[in-house]
Amino acid sequence: MSEKKMISAAKSFDIIAKVCKGIFEAVGIICGIFAVLVLFFGEKVFEIGSFTLAMAYIKLHLSDNIQPSADLIETFIIILMAALGVIFFMVSYGIKQFRNILAPMKEGRPFEANVAQKLRNIAWTTLAGGGVLTITSFVESLILTKAYPMEQIFSSPAIETVEFIYMMDFNFVFVFCAIMFLSYIFDYGQKLQRESDETL
């Protein structure tokens, strides 16, 4: 990629990143506000109606006679909205670091001294965000299995027992490792760039 193409691409990516950052921050604020409203006003903010339970490739559409625990659903919504708010702000922070990386690239300097550190910041944010998502997903699964009358839902004589298997996805750890590895590459590139500048 020529220097002009790199500068042009960096400028385009920066504009997209700026817009995305604003969107994620706005949605994060909305999620936080909704979590607070549910916390203080409960069912006045949301209405419990008919629900669906999704399990792997099976989706159960429950009748109006099956009503989950209002308190547990309220807790579920608060945790979900609060976690989403945190995640959106983490993504916004990651985008900010990405824009800081693009800043010198827009001037034709891809191997600035702080690029590697910004990549590491993104890597740690990815690790923290993935951890929050994984823990939140696990807690939400526990709450939902308690909120719904599972004995009533699976009351068929064809079912002997119901077993709950909680899955955790740790792919974010591999993303963290990949970004950290990339940061070391940029760190090495910056050292080569510095040695080249000193030689000149």
Side-chain angles (χ1 to χ4, degrees):
M1 180 183 288
S2 67
E3 185 174 330
K4 287 184 179 180
K5 287 184 178 180
M6 180 190 70
I7 292 172
S8 177
K11 288 180 179 179
S12 299
F13 287 139
D14 186 59
I15 292 171
I16 296 171
K18 184 178 180 180
V19 173
C20 291
K21 183 177 182 294
I23 292 172
F24 279 111
E25 286 179 352
V27 176
I29 291 171
I30 292 171
C31 288
I33 291 172
F34 190 74
V36 172
L37 290 175
V38 174
L39 178 63
F40 286 104
F41 299 104
E43 289 186 57
K44 294 179 181 178
V45 179
F46 71 96
E47 180 181 353
I48 296 181
S50 59
F51 281 82
T52 59
L53 279 178
M55 299 174 295
Y57 56 89
I58 300 174
K59 182 178 284 188
L60 303 177
H61 297 269
L62 306 180
S63 69
D64 293 336
N65 297 329
I66 305 294
Q67 290 295 319
S69 167
D71 291 338
L72 288 175
I73 291 298
E74 182 179 320
T75 303
F76 170 81
I77 292 174
I78 292 170
I79 292 174
L80 175 63
M81 290 295 106
L84 285 176
V86 170
I87 292 299
F88 282 127
F89 274 103
M90 283 185 172
V91 173
S92 176
Y93 175 77
I95 292 174
K96 179 183 176 182
Q97 299 301 308
F98 180 64
R99 291 191 68 204
N100 289 337
I101 293 171
L102 291 175
M105 289 185 178
K106 291 191 297 183
E107 300 174 4
R109 296 179 285 110
F111 294 109
E112 282 290 286
N114 63 347
V115 169
Q117 184 57 51
K118 300 300 180 186
L119 280 170
R120 291 186 187 104
N121 291 344
I122 293 173
W124 286 110
T125 303
T126 301
L127 186 65
V132 170
L133 275 177
T134 301
I135 293 170
T136 301
S137 177
F138 177 71
V139 172
E140 288 174 350
S141 298
L142 287 176
I143 292 173
L144 286 180
T145 55
K146 298 292 183 182
Y148 285 91
M150 294 299 181
E151 297 81 8
Q152 185 179 353
I153 294 172
F154 298 104
S155 59
S156 169
I159 299 174
E160 185 175 333
T161 58
V162 177
E163 182 180 356
F164 299 102
I165 301 173
Y166 301 103
M167 304 293 291
M168 289 191 174
D169 185 2
F170 291 99
N171 286 332
F172 65 92
V173 176
F174 296 105
V175 177
F176 163 78
C177 293
I179 298 174
M180 286 295 284
F181 180 72
L182 186 62
S183 76
Y184 294 124
I185 294 175
F186 267 84
D187 199 21
Y188 182 68
Q190 190 270 328
K191 290 177 182 178
L192 292 178
Q193 181 69 53
R194 187 175 64 245
E195 291 174 359
S196 176
D197 293 341
E198 289 174 354
T199 303
L200 294 175

